[in-house]
Amino acid sequence: MGAAGVDYDGEISKQYEQGRSLSPAAVSTWREAVGDLIPDTGLIADVGAGTGRFARQFDLLAPGRVLAIEPSSGMRGSAQRSHPGQVIWMGGSAERMPLADSSVQLVWTAFTAHYFDLAAAASEFARVLAPGGQVLVWHAFPDIFDGLEWFRWFPTARALADQQGVPSAQLVQRTFEDVGMIFEGRTEHHMRIADDMAVLADRLAHRSISTLSLISDEDFEQGLTNLRAHAAESDGGDPVYAVNVMLRFRA
Ligand SMILES: C[S@@+](CC[C@H](N)C(=O)[O-])C[C@H]1O[C@@H](n2cnc3c(N)ncnc32)[C@H](O)[C@@H]1O
């Protein structure tokens, strides 16, 4: 069993790509967020890279310079089967990265901070970063949970997320500052996650959001039924967005 009860070596690794792939609109929002922050030279480490949906985007901007570090062999295997390419995959974790001191220019980590021993991860990021290097922490922090559409339909998933202890953005900031990193700012990004509510239901049906993989099958089916009924009755074809937060730090 993997992090916080989620078995990333199991079914979720097979469903992740379909349930959580980035739409072209989301890619474009992400590029606006990070485009100016890509270093001209040096390595980029995507920590907790999952099946590589962000690592592959980094690779398009910085070809051949992207290391994807991921503890789950299931997620790594799924990534390498579906998208063989030049991203370099490595087993490892935020707390133990298979990288030399001062070897990386940018650390990126998305939707992972709740799995970390945060203080150990902060120290490890500080160790591998070259002087002046950056860390980008991308997450749905608790202060934006109310803006996540799927929690409306799966209240037990929301309750679980509240209990799971996703660290606050402030706690991440303090922990990273404690190892000497400089906080450079917080930005919010509205990622288009579905073309409409029916498409959202189709994506959520893959159960590739960790809290949806942990609630009971009954709660999951009920939420999906309610969401599909709502989509059938009132879907105006409006796209669905999710707010993501990015915290920027410099070594
Ligand atoms: C919600 S997924 C996010 C994957 C990817 N970053 C993305 O946004 O698609 C969380 C990932 O964190 C990984 N993970 C769990 N514990 C970790 C740790 N201590 N260090 C690094 N990654 C970890 C899991 O195996 C999983 O692939």
Side-chain angles (χ1 to χ4, degrees):
M1 188 63 66
V6 184
D7 182 7
Y8 278 104
D9 287 333
E11 190 56 25
I12 200 165
S13 68
K14 296 178 203 135
Q15 299 294 329
Y16 201 88
E17 282 290 305
Q18 280 174 292
R20 295 189 63 172
S21 62
L22 298 169
S23 68
V27 168
S28 137
T29 304
W30 175 84
R31 280 194 178 209
E32 278 166 31
V34 304
D36 291 344
L37 304 172
I38 304 287
D40 293 336
T41 57
L43 295 172
I44 297 172
D46 180 350
V47 181
T51 56
R53 60 182 177 152
F54 289 111
R56 288 190 295 279
Q57 294 303 324
F58 275 110
D59 188 63
L60 293 174
L61 300 176
R65 294 196 278 135
V66 180
L67 310 174
I69 297 171
E70 167 56 47
S72 156
S73 56
M75 296 295 266
R76 289 198 310 274
S78 177
Q80 288 165 310
R81 273 190 302 280
S82 60
H83 294 90
Q86 60 181 351
V87 169
I88 299 158
W89 284 88
M90 300 169 130
S93 67
E95 299 84 357
R96 283 182 73 119
M97 295 170 66
L99 300 175
D101 295 357
S102 310
S103 58
V104 165
Q105 208 58 47
L106 177 69
V107 168
W108 161 268
T109 191
F111 303 108
T112 47
H114 52 303
Y115 295 134
F116 296 168
D117 172 333
L118 208 49
S123 298
E124 187 67 344
F125 290 178
R127 179 185 73 75
V128 302
L129 272 181
Q134 292 181 86
V135 179
L136 305 177
V137 182
W138 182 277
H139 213 315
F141 289 108
D143 58 335
I144 53 95
F145 278 179
D146 287 344
L148 299 180
E149 177 64 31
W150 59 87
F151 282 150
R152 264 179 69 200
W153 305 97
F154 301 94
T156 47
R158 168 65 194 259
L160 203 58
D162 286 335
Q163 288 160 22
Q164 251 184 2
V166 176
S168 66
Q170 291 82 353
L171 178 61
V172 173
Q173 180 181 338
R174 275 202 308 278
T175 309
F176 280 56
E177 285 174 338
D178 282 349
V179 298
M181 288 196 210
I182 297 157
F183 177 60
E184 294 205 314
R186 165 186 169 132
T187 46
E188 295 190 357
H189 307 278
H190 294 257
M191 302 285 273
R192 182 166 166 158
I193 55 166
D195 292 342
D196 57 30
M197 295 294 249
V199 174
L200 178 68
D202 290 344
R203 282 171 66 88
L204 295 180
H206 291 285
R207 235 169 152 171
S208 52
I209 291 176
S210 60
T211 47
L212 295 186
S213 77
L214 292 173
I215 60 176
S216 70
D217 291 346
E218 196 180 26
D219 285 358
F220 177 72
E221 293 305 336
Q222 187 61 63
L224 204 57
T225 301
N226 293 345
L227 173 54
R228 287 201 197 282
H230 170 81
E233 271 168 29
S234 58
D235 210 331
D238 291 335
V240 185
Y241 291 86
V243 181
N244 292 175
V245 176
M246 184 169 73
L247 306 179
R248 299 194 312 280
F249 300 90
R250 196 168 288 276

